[in-house]
Amino acid sequence: MMMASMKKIDYKKELMELYRPSSKSVSSVDVPPLRYLMIDGAGAPESKEFEQAMEALYPLAYTLKFMSKQSDAGIDFVVMPLEGLWWADDMDAYLERRLDEWRWTLMIMQPDCVSEDMVAAALERVRKKNNPAALDRVRFEVYEEGECAQIMHLGPYSEEGPNVERLHAFIAEQGKERALKHHEIYLSDPRRAAPEKLRTVLRQPMR
């Protein structure tokens, strides 16, 4: 007798309101507290520090996926996309793309089946296997945004400016102010997709 195949959960579909906003208009969404693997850094996305951050996050995320699949619960899930919080001491530096002044937190969302103990065990596995340079800077914590404005940006990252301005205008029209940090969710792999085909969720918390 053959065993039924394990269902793979895609949390981008389970949480569609967070990962599939319209590209035509800004919408508001209430983002619940979510848990992430996170790592902080500074500088341009082309920097060595940014590359090292991804080299630490992805092996850890895939190790956790396989650990979950092999656990007693037997939950298999699609590894979530890379996300980034972006800011600068002078926010004009962000809007004007003065990359050397940018600061960021890269992160990958983790489902409820991933525990702190699993993360600690996964860190040890990744450390023994290839020990990425930035591994010890990764943390696992809850990030809570609450009410946010968001829109899907289609096209190159360098052309996000007008949609960022639309987010800010929408928030002002609601009689609210921007809070926390500018948030981006990278649904496309820039190594495989043409720049004009890139899909990026742009999100801004508001209060």
Side-chain angles (χ1 to χ4, degrees), residues 169-184:
F170 176 87
I171 292 170
E173 288 165 5
Q174 307 302 307
K176 299 183 177 180
E177 296 182 347
R178 301 193 300 272
L180 303 176
K181 296 165 182 172
H182 174 76
H183 187 168
E184 300 189 355

Side-chain angles (χ1 to χ4, degrees), residues 87-102:
W87 73 99
D89 292 334
D90 173 8
M91 273 308 290
D92 286 341
Y94 184 77
L95 296 175
E96 295 170 7
R97 296 189 63 79
R98 301 201 301 267
L99 306 186
D100 58 325
E101 297 180 43
W102 287 9

